[in-house]
Amino acid sequence: QTWNGAAWAPSLSANNYDVSGSSACSFQCSSGYTYNNGSCESALPENVLSNIQNISAHGVGSTIYSVQTNGDVYAWGLENDHTFTSEVNWTTHKIATKITTLSNVKKISSGSNYACALYNNGSVKCWGENNGGYLGDNSFTYAVTPVQVQGLTSGVIDISAYYQHTCALMNDSSIKCWGSNMFGGLGI
């Protein structure tokens, strides 16, 4: 279903919307939610998913990633610059959507219109915008699907992405960083 050109989630009831009115533009929020600037909002924590081991908010957009304990990845919010690893762009996902191109993931960390996944085998792959080498694949090309960060096929124990750079903590206690050094984020 669509509303005003944007995709609705498969289950409208899961979005706390009542669209039973005469026009999709005149919906009411369910009890406990407040209508504000085109959306229903909650000032209280809401249950989204369970069995989560990691969560990351997208740096500039509003994509939220979660990694379940089984390594599956879910995302919700604004999909901008292929942050959901799909061909669709600038779509709002109002409920958690499984990212089928990601599995066996330990952690997700996201920067400005890109994200990186640390896999259970210690490797790192990134996707999204890449104008400043944010994906670490020795290119400046957008990646719709995750690409391998060069030299990080194993041995990574943690990752942290920020605005336009990412750093990886290695199992030998060293740190490797890539992306833009505009604000000194690479430490070099």
Side-chain angles (χ1 to χ4, degrees):
Q1 296 180 355
T2 61
W3 171 75
N4 197 18
W8 279 106
S11 171
L12 294 177
S13 62
N15 291 314
N16 303 306
Y17 291 112
D18 175 5
V19 293
S20 59
S22 60
S23 166
C25 295
S26 62
F27 62 85
Q28 299 285 320
C29 295
S30 298
S31 177
Y33 295 86
T34 303
Y35 180 79
N36 184 18
N37 198 25
S39 70
C40 293
E41 297 177 350
S42 174
L44 297 172
E46 296 292 329
N47 289 326
V48 179
L49 293 170
S50 58
N51 299 317
I52 303 301
Q53 68 180 6
N54 172 254
I55 188 165
S56 177
H58 193 275
V60 171
S62 55
T63 303
I64 306 294
Y65 296 98
S66 67
V67 180
Q68 290 191 307
T69 54
N70 67 0
D72 288 344
V73 176
Y74 285 79
W76 61 95
L78 178 63
E79 175 180 3
N80 55 334
D81 292 320
H82 306 292
T83 52
F84 275 55
T85 70
S86 73
E87 298 288 341
V88 180
N89 210 6
W90 299 103
T91 300
T92 299
H93 297 267
K94 296 182 184 278
I95 61 172
T97 303
K98 185 175 181 178
I99 309 301
T100 57
T101 56
L102 295 169
S103 60
N104 298 311
V105 173
K106 179 179 179 181
K107 180 179 181 178
I108 298 271
S109 191
S110 51
S112 175
N113 300 323
Y114 78 97
C116 297
L118 169 59
Y119 288 81
N120 288 323
N121 66 2
S123 67
V124 177
K125 293 183 180 180
C126 301
W127 64 93
E129 188 177 293
N130 197 22
N131 349 358
Y134 319 142
L135 306 185
D137 65 341
N138 197 30
S139 81
F140 298 98
T141 306
Y142 249 60
V144 176
T145 57
V147 295
Q148 181 67 54
V149 176
Q150 284 195 3
L152 298 183
T153 57
S154 66
V156 179
I157 59 173
D158 198 9
I159 57 171
S160 182
Y162 185 61
Y163 179 55
Q164 297 177 337
H165 64 277
T166 303
C167 293
L169 175 61
M170 306 302 294
N171 59 8
D172 65 0
S173 300
S174 66
I175 296 175
K176 295 185 179 185
C177 299
W178 62 94
S180 173
N181 197 33
M182 184 182 329
F183 302 110
L186 299 183
I188 56 174

